Amino acid sequence: MLRNIKVCMALLLFLFFGGCAMHQPSEPKGNEKSFAHEDIYIFTALYAEELGDYESASKMFESLYKETDKKEYFYRALKNDMAAQQYEKIVQKTDAAALTIEDVELKRFKVVALIRQNRLEDAKEAALKLATNSKNVDDYLLVSDIYVKLKEYEEALKSLESAYAIEHNEKIMGKIAIILYMNLERKKDAIAQLETYSRIYGCSVDICNMLAGFYSNENDVDALVSTYLRMYKLENNSEIAKKIVQIYGYKREYPKMREFLEESRSDNELLLQLYIQEKAYKKAAAMAGELYEESGDALFLGQSAIFEYESSEDKNDKAMQKSVIAKLKEVIEIKKDAMYLNYLGYLLIDHDVDVKKGIVYVQEALKIEPNSAYYLDSLAWGYYKIQKCSEAAKIMKKIRTMQGGDNEEVVKHLQMIEECEKIQKRKKEQK
């Protein structure tokens, strides 16, 4: 295949150069081509480019230029010389062409070729003349790049400021900020310039990223989170949201974290935990319900039930109790979780909905976690409700030495159960 391409290429080159040698150009009329078969020759040059034969392509475009006097062919030849890394050839060609062509584009080719040869002083001299004459943004940027390579950063900055005076471009501003911050150690100036730009023209992703990098390097956490918040408004990026949350966590600014999560909804599970931490149980119930709808995870349904109960102002509200009980029953049908078994059992016991059934649920919870003081208290409370006070008292004595035994509600239950046991003993003695 490669051999066939080379044969084809050789034939095209032969036809091209042979045709050019025998052809005498005539004056074109109207929309006519400058000479016959110009399109075929262009195709041949482009085909050489596609094959990566830039030297042949350059020769063909240069011949097209000689035949037609169209500058675009000459520039295409120079581009192919650049691709072929024939930098000295470019310098020679541009110097020779400068005698007949007065064009800034030609001078730019020469400057770039000089840079590629690392002839930086020559490149600087040529680029300064070019920028002085053209007053073009790109030419000032070219001068700046040369100064940076020469490590003449003050001069590079001046060239960039000249470019910025013409065009308030964020890429130019970025270059200015980098030189100020990295090369001239004028860190405050770099940040001030970027902030001023962002306030006037908006904080683009690139500008905000640069500011975030500088603030992170300076360990300015307040400014960093402010920048990330601006970035998040530009694009709802989950990684940026995580960084914002991390900073609020680092600073222990949980109310601000909650406000951000409420607005962004970037981490609803974390938002649920914050609601629980703040004891905002109504919001926690709603959020847990939302998470259940999204995920189908029964544990969120259980949390929704618990926080619906905890947030209720009237714990004896029958409609509320019915809703919570139904949800908890649905949860334990899916997963026998000790916490939800106990919560359901205790609710049935404490509100006298179905004490015996409540005891059964608590007993199931204790099979999973037999040493839980809270679950044992629920069981004792169930026995108290059905007047088995001595059995309840035995359990409560065990709880006293356990973690959680000093809980306010547990202590209250202990007192009531002990009083019940005393009353029952007196009644037996009186009989």
Side-chain angles (χ1 to χ4, degrees):
M1 179 65 182
L2 182 60
R3 184 176 179 277
N4 291 338
I5 291 172
K6 288 182 176 179
V7 170
C8 181
M9 192 68 217
L11 179 59
L12 286 168
L13 290 170
F14 172 77
L15 291 171
F16 178 81
F17 288 114
C20 285
M22 294 182 289
H23 179 73
Q24 296 294 323
S26 58
E27 188 70 28
K29 296 178 182 179
N31 293 326
E32 290 181 9
K33 300 295 180 183
S34 299
F35 66 96
H37 308 304
E38 183 178 350
D39 286 339
I40 295 173
Y41 298 146
I42 294 169
F43 167 77
T44 307
L46 293 173
Y47 189 63
E49 278 186 352
E50 189 176 338
L51 293 177
D53 187 357
Y54 301 116
E55 291 188 35
S56 295
S58 175
K59 288 177 184 178
M60 284 185 271
F61 278 119
E62 195 166 356
S63 295
L64 277 164
Y65 167 65
K66 289 175 182 176
E67 291 286 342
T68 64
D69 205 31
K70 293 178 181 178
K71 288 191 292 185
E72 56 264 34
Y73 290 138
F74 185 57
Y75 294 144
R76 193 64 176 252
L78 291 173
K79 285 181 181 178
N80 277 283
D81 288 334
M82 196 73 74
Q85 300 182 8
Q86 298 292 320
Y87 306 128
E88 184 55 34
K89 187 182 286 187
I90 294 170
V91 173
Q92 292 172 4
K93 282 184 180 181
T94 53
D95 283 343
L99 300 172
T100 55
I101 301 175
E102 182 60 35
D103 197 316
V104 292
E105 188 67 24
L106 200 65
K107 294 173 183 176
R108 288 183 189 125
F109 273 110
K110 179 180 178 179
V111 171
V112 174
L114 288 169
I115 294 171
R116 298 284 175 84
Q117 287 180 298
N118 207 33
R119 293 166 59 183
L120 298 179
E121 289 296 338
D122 292 337
K124 180 173 74 172
E125 183 181 350
L128 282 168
K129 288 180 183 177
L130 173 61
T132 301
N133 292 329
S134 72
K135 306 295 183 187
N136 184 282
V137 169
D138 290 334
D139 295 331
Y140 282 118
L141 293 175
L142 199 55
V143 173
S144 174
D145 289 342
I146 295 167
Y147 277 128
V148 168
K149 288 178 182 294
L150 289 167
K151 298 184 179 180
E152 297 177 14
Y153 301 116
E154 290 287 358
E155 296 302 320
L157 181 62
K158 288 177 184 177
S159 295
L160 286 170
E161 287 171 343
S162 296
Y164 187 72
I166 299 168
E167 183 180 317
H168 290 359
N169 183 299
E170 72 172 65
K171 290 183 178 179
I172 300 172
M173 175 50 63
K175 286 175 178 284
I176 289 171
I178 288 171
I179 288 176
L180 285 169
Y181 192 92
M182 303 295 293
N183 304 120
L184 297 177
E185 289 293 317
R186 292 166 56 186
K187 296 181 178 182
K188 289 183 179 179
D189 289 342
I191 291 170
Q193 293 247 28
L194 287 175
E195 285 289 5
T196 300
Y197 181 92
S198 71
R199 301 302 175 191
I200 297 172
Y201 302 105
C203 196
S204 69
V205 173
D206 289 341
I207 294 294
C208 272
N209 264 321
M210 195 172 292
L211 275 169
F214 290 166
Y215 285 134
S216 178
N217 198 48
E218 297 299 306
N219 201 29
D220 189 339
V221 181
D222 289 332
L224 181 60
V225 73
S226 174
T227 303
Y228 279 143
L229 286 167
R230 282 186 279 170
M231 289 175 72
Y232 190 78
K233 286 181 180 179
L234 288 172
E235 50 176 6
N236 295 336
N237 186 303
S238 60
E239 290 304 313
I240 295 171
K242 285 179 184 177
K243 289 176 182 177
I244 293 168
V245 170
Q246 285 170 358
I247 292 171
Y248 282 140
Y250 169 75
K251 296 183 70 182
R252 299 182 182 275
E253 292 182 343
Y254 299 114
K256 288 184 179 180
M257 184 194 291
R258 173 178 46 73
E259 287 174 14
F260 172 72
L261 290 171
E262 285 176 337
E263 184 179 346
S264 67
R265 288 304 184 95
S266 58
D267 191 338
N268 284 343
E269 288 190 43
L270 179 57
L271 182 56
L272 172 60
Q273 296 308 312
L274 288 175
Y275 285 147
I276 296 169
Q277 183 179 309
E278 294 177 351
K279 297 185 178 180
Y281 294 135
K282 280 189 178 179
K283 289 183 177 181
M287 180 54 64
E290 189 176 318
L291 285 165
Y292 173 66
E293 291 296 325
E294 290 174 1
S295 67
D297 188 338
L299 295 181
F300 288 126
L301 179 61
Q303 287 180 305
S304 174
I306 289 173
F307 297 128
E308 180 182 349
Y309 179 82
E310 295 296 336
S311 64
S312 175
E313 293 179 5
D314 180 7
K315 296 293 190 289
N316 294 312
D317 182 341
K318 299 299 180 183
M320 178 274 295
Q321 290 177 6
K322 186 177 180 181
S323 169
V324 171
I325 290 167
K327 287 177 182 178
L328 289 172
K329 283 183 176 180
E330 186 177 340
V331 172
I332 63 171
E333 282 177 11
I334 299 168
K335 185 177 181 180
K336 298 293 183 184
D337 184 280
M339 181 180 71
Y340 296 120
L341 283 164
N342 177 71
Y343 203 95
L344 173 59
Y346 185 77
L347 193 153
L348 294 174
I349 293 166
D350 197 45
H351 291 286
D352 299 312
V353 176
D354 189 337
V355 176
K356 290 183 179 179
K357 185 64 176 176
I359 289 171
V360 171
Y361 285 132
V362 173
Q363 287 172 332
E364 286 188 48
L366 282 164
K367 287 177 185 177
I368 300 168
E369 294 183 32
N371 296 316
S372 169
Y374 298 107
Y375 301 172
L376 287 168
D377 173 69
S378 297
L379 182 60
W381 191 240
Y383 287 148
Y384 168 80
K385 285 278 189 172
I386 58 173
Q387 292 298 294
K388 291 186 177 182
C389 296
S390 60
E391 291 182 44
K394 288 177 185 177
I395 295 171
M396 294 308 289
K397 286 174 185 177
K398 182 180 177 181
I399 294 173
R400 283 179 178 177
T401 59
M402 297 174 67
Q403 185 177 0
D406 59 349
N407 177 271
E408 185 180 343
E409 189 172 8
V410 172
V411 172
K412 180 182 176 183
H413 286 172
L414 175 61
Q415 291 170 349
M416 294 176 71
I417 288 168
E418 285 180 341
E419 183 62 28
C420 173
E421 187 182 25
K422 288 177 184 177
I423 292 170
Q424 286 185 346
K425 281 182 179 179
R426 280 200 296 267
K427 284 182 178 180
K428 282 182 181 180
E429 290 171 357
Q430 289 172 359
K431 285 182 179 180

